[in-house]
Amino acid sequence: MTQLLVSRRRFLGVAGVAASTVPLAGCDMLDGLLASGDPVRGFLASANSLTYRLQRLLIPADRLAPEFSESEIRQGQRPNGSMDPTDPAYLALKDGDFAAYRLNVAGLVERPMQLTLDELRNMPSRTQITRHDCVEGWSCVAKWTGVPLARVLDEARVKSDARYVVFHCFDSMSPGLAGSAAYYESIDMIDARHPQTILAYGLNGTLLPVANGAPLRVRIERQLGYKMAKYIRGIEVVSDLSNIGGGRGGYWEDLGYDWYAGI
């Protein structure tokens, strides 16, 4: 059964990479075709929606991603994307070893909060050894420790009309002609409340390094790596994504990636 699940995950991962690479490879060349309202953009969006519905139909909401043993950690977690944010607020926090860091929890919650790292570390934690699958085609097994996102949402008392959790980050990206923009990501409430979705502050038995997203990043083990936002500034619970960023649910999604990157 384990072999079957791994094979299926690998198949879906390859398929997801292939599907996501189509808009990625053409980010510059196809900018015009992928403009809002273009039929190509509409076709890709409908394919993404179909993938999302099929995965939600076929895979139980609480099914776990494969976990591994300590002996299967063969190397340090490979960093990629942003590795050293230059946002002044972030640099000030880093200079103080993140002692002044606060996680803002806002949006459709009855109890907005600002949580310190100590408060997050004192909540019940989860440690998991999982495989990070990157849209670039590489993977890496590592041990992650953090507080389940569901626990934070429960503390904040999410309202009944909430549908998504948005992660706002300190880092910015500027690939090609697209210009610089703050990184953000989003997931639905099913993945937000999945037991392996954690706000990670530890990596391979040490504090999360800056290159890997310190002081806090999200792990969403059933999705590709670009969904796992680093350098989290705050989380916002919303009912609609259209008024955030470019309106497609994430930095890379605004450039053409699939919003749902399930594997």
Side-chain angles (χ1 to χ4, degrees), residues 109-142:
V109 296
E110 295 177 1
R111 189 183 172 206
M113 298 185 298
Q114 288 195 324
L115 297 168
T116 68
L117 283 176
D118 282 345
E119 288 172 328
L120 290 165
R121 291 166 182 157
N122 285 330
M123 289 182 177
S125 65
R126 190 179 201 281
T127 294
Q128 55 204 27
I129 301 176
T130 52
R131 191 181 69 214
H132 180 105
D133 292 306
C134 180
V135 72
E136 296 170 350
W138 55 268
S139 62
C140 190
V141 173

Coordinates of all heavy atoms in Angstrom, one line a residue, residues 109-142:
V109 N -11.7 36.5 11.5 CA -11.5 35.8 12.8 C -12.1 36.7 13.8 O -12.2 37.9 13.7 CB -10.0 35.6 13.1 CG1 -9.3 34.6 12.1 CG2 -9.2 36.9 13.2
E110 N -12.6 36.0 14.9 CA -13.3 36.7 16.0 C -12.2 37.3 16.9 O -12.6 38.3 17.7 CB -14.2 35.8 16.7 CG -15.4 35.3 15.9 CD -16.3 34.3 16.7 OE1 -15.9 34.0 17.8 OE2 -17.2 33.8 16.1
R111 N -11.0 36.8 16.9 CA -10.0 37.2 17.8 C -8.7 37.5 17.1 O -7.8 36.6 17.1 CB -9.9 36.1 18.9 CG -9.0 36.5 20.0 CD -8.8 35.2 21.0 NE -7.9 35.5 22.0 CZ -7.2 34.5 22.6 NH1 -7.4 33.2 22.2 NH2 -6.3 34.8 23.6
P112 N -8.5 38.6 16.5 CA -7.2 38.9 15.8 C -6.1 38.9 16.9 O -6.3 39.3 18.0 CB -7.4 40.4 15.3 CG -8.9 40.5 15.2 CD -9.5 39.7 16.3
M113 N -5.0 38.4 16.4 CA -3.9 38.2 17.4 C -2.5 38.7 16.8 O -2.4 38.8 15.6 CB -3.8 36.7 17.7 CG -5.0 36.1 18.4 SD -4.7 34.4 18.9 CE -4.4 33.6 17.3
Q114 N -1.6 38.9 17.7 CA -0.2 39.0 17.3 C 0.6 38.1 18.3 O 0.6 38.3 19.5 CB 0.3 40.5 17.5 CG -0.2 41.4 16.5 CD 0.5 42.8 16.5 OE1 0.9 43.2 17.6 NE2 0.7 43.3 15.3
L115 N 1.2 37.0 17.7 CA 1.8 36.0 18.5 C 3.3 36.1 18.4 O 3.9 36.3 17.3 CB 1.4 34.6 17.9 CG -0.1 34.3 18.0 CD1 -0.5 33.1 17.2 CD2 -0.5 34.1 19.5
T116 N 4.0 36.0 19.5 CA 5.5 36.0 19.5 C 6.0 34.6 19.2 O 5.2 33.6 19.2 CB 6.0 36.4 20.9 OG1 5.6 35.3 21.9 CG2 5.4 37.7 21.4
L117 N 7.2 34.5 18.9 CA 7.8 33.2 18.6 C 7.7 32.3 19.8 O 7.5 31.1 19.7 CB 9.3 33.4 18.1 CG 9.5 33.8 16.7 CD1 11.0 34.0 16.4 CD2 8.9 32.9 15.7
D118 N 7.9 32.9 21.0 CA 7.8 32.0 22.2 C 6.4 31.5 22.4 O 6.2 30.3 22.8 CB 8.2 32.9 23.4 CG 9.7 33.0 23.6 OD1 10.4 32.2 22.9 OD2 10.2 33.9 24.3
E119 N 5.4 32.3 22.1 CA 4.0 31.9 22.2 C 3.7 30.8 21.2 O 3.1 29.8 21.5 CB 3.1 33.0 22.0 CG 3.0 34.0 23.2 CD 2.2 35.2 22.9 OE1 2.2 35.7 21.8 OE2 1.7 35.8 23.9
L120 N 4.3 30.9 20.0 CA 4.1 29.9 19.0 C 4.8 28.6 19.4 O 4.3 27.5 19.2 CB 4.6 30.3 17.6 CG 3.8 31.4 16.9 CD1 4.6 32.1 15.8 CD2 2.5 30.9 16.4
R121 N 6.0 28.7 19.9 CA 6.8 27.5 20.3 C 6.2 26.8 21.5 O 6.5 25.6 21.8 CB 8.2 27.9 20.6 CG 9.0 28.3 19.3 CD 10.3 29.0 19.7 NE 11.0 29.5 18.5 CZ 11.9 30.5 18.4 NH1 12.2 31.1 19.6 NH2 12.5 30.8 17.3
N122 N 5.4 27.6 22.3 CA 4.8 27.0 23.5 C 3.5 26.3 23.2 O 2.9 25.6 24.1 CB 4.6 28.0 24.6 CG 5.9 28.4 25.3 OD1 6.8 27.6 25.4 ND2 6.1 29.6 25.7
M123 N 3.0 26.5 22.0 CA 1.8 25.7 21.6 C 2.1 24.3 21.3 O 3.3 24.0 21.0 CB 1.2 26.4 20.3 CG 0.5 27.7 20.6 SD -0.2 28.4 19.0 CE -1.0 29.9 19.6
P124 N 1.2 23.4 21.3 CA 1.5 22.0 20.9 C 2.1 22.0 19.5 O 1.7 22.7 18.6 CB 0.1 21.3 20.8 CG -0.7 22.1 21.8 CD -0.3 23.6 21.7
S125 N 3.2 21.2 19.4 CA 3.9 21.2 18.1 C 3.8 19.8 17.4 O 3.4 18.8 18.0 CB 5.4 21.5 18.4 OG 6.0 20.4 19.2
R126 N 4.2 19.8 16.2 CA 4.3 18.6 15.4 C 5.7 18.6 14.7 O 6.1 19.6 14.1 CB 3.2 18.5 14.4 CG 3.1 17.1 13.7 CD 1.9 17.1 12.7 NE 1.5 15.7 12.4 CZ 2.1 14.9 11.6 NH1 3.2 15.3 11.0 NH2 1.6 13.7 11.4
T127 N 6.3 17.4 14.7 CA 7.6 17.2 14.0 C 7.3 16.1 12.9 O 6.8 15.1 13.2 CB 8.7 16.8 14.9 OG1 9.0 17.9 15.8 CG2 10.0 16.5 14.1
Q128 N 7.7 16.4 11.7 CA 7.5 15.5 10.6 C 8.7 15.5 9.7 O 9.3 16.5 9.4 CB 6.2 15.9 9.8 CG 6.2 17.3 9.3 CD 4.8 17.9 9.1 OE1 3.9 17.5 9.8 NE2 4.7 18.9 8.2
I129 N 9.0 14.3 9.2 CA 10.1 14.2 8.2 C 9.4 13.9 6.9 O 8.8 12.8 6.7 CB 11.1 13.0 8.6 CG1 11.7 13.3 9.9 CG2 12.2 12.9 7.5 CD1 12.6 12.2 10.5
T130 N 9.5 14.8 6.0 CA 8.8 14.8 4.7 C 9.6 15.2 3.5 O 10.8 15.7 3.7 CB 7.6 15.7 4.8 OG1 8.0 17.0 5.2 CG2 6.5 15.3 5.8
R131 N 9.1 15.0 2.3 CA 9.9 15.3 1.1 C 9.3 16.6 0.5 O 8.1 16.7 0.3 CB 9.8 14.2 0.1 CG 10.7 14.3 -1.1 CD 10.6 13.2 -2.1 NE 9.4 13.3 -2.8 CZ 8.7 12.2 -3.2 NH1 9.2 11.0 -2.9 NH2 7.5 12.3 -3.8
H132 N 10.2 17.5 0.3 CA 9.9 18.8 -0.4 C 10.0 18.5 -1.9 O 11.1 18.2 -2.4 CB 10.8 19.9 0.1 CG 10.6 21.2 -0.5 ND1 10.0 22.2 0.2 CD2 10.9 21.7 -1.7 CE1 9.9 23.3 -0.6 NE2 10.5 23.0 -1.8
D133 N 9.0 18.7 -2.7 CA 9.0 18.5 -4.1 C 8.9 19.9 -4.7 O 7.9 20.6 -4.6 CB 7.8 17.7 -4.6 CG 8.0 16.2 -4.2 OD1 9.1 15.6 -4.4 OD2 7.1 15.7 -3.5
C134 N 10.0 20.3 -5.4 CA 10.0 21.7 -6.0 C 9.6 21.6 -7.5 O 9.8 20.6 -8.2 CB 11.5 22.2 -6.0 SG 11.6 23.9 -6.7
V135 N 8.9 22.7 -7.9 CA 8.4 22.7 -9.3 C 9.6 22.8 -10.3 O 9.5 22.5 -11.5 CB 7.6 24.0 -9.5 CG1 8.4 25.3 -9.4 CG2 6.7 23.9 -10.7
E136 N 10.8 23.1 -9.8 CA 12.0 23.0 -10.6 C 12.5 21.6 -10.9 O 13.4 21.4 -11.8 CB 13.2 23.8 -9.9 CG 12.9 25.3 -9.7 CD 13.9 25.9 -8.8 OE1 14.7 25.2 -8.2 OE2 13.9 27.2 -8.7
G137 N 11.9 20.6 -10.3 CA 12.2 19.2 -10.6 C 13.1 18.5 -9.6 O 13.4 17.3 -9.8
W138 N 13.5 19.1 -8.5 CA 14.3 18.4 -7.5 C 13.4 18.2 -6.2 O 12.4 18.8 -6.0 CB 15.5 19.2 -7.1 CG 15.3 20.6 -6.6 CD1 15.3 21.8 -7.4 CD2 15.0 21.1 -5.3 NE1 15.0 22.9 -6.7 CE2 14.8 22.5 -5.4 CE3 14.9 20.5 -4.1 CZ2 14.6 23.3 -4.2 CZ3 14.6 21.2 -2.9 CH2 14.5 22.6 -3.0
S139 N 13.9 17.3 -5.4 CA 13.2 17.0 -4.1 C 14.2 16.8 -3.0 O 15.4 16.6 -3.3 CB 12.3 15.7 -4.2 OG 13.1 14.6 -4.5
C140 N 13.8 16.9 -1.7 CA 14.7 16.9 -0.6 C 13.9 16.4 0.6 O 12.8 17.0 0.9 CB 15.3 18.2 -0.4 SG 16.7 18.2 0.8
V141 N 14.5 15.5 1.4 CA 13.8 15.0 2.6 C 14.4 15.8 3.8 O 15.6 15.9 3.9 CB 14.0 13.5 2.8 CG1 13.5 13.0 4.2 CG2 13.3 12.7 1.7
A142 N 13.5 16.3 4.7 CA 14.0 17.1 5.8 C 13.0 16.9 7.0 O 11.8 16.5 6.8 CB 14.2 18.5 5.5

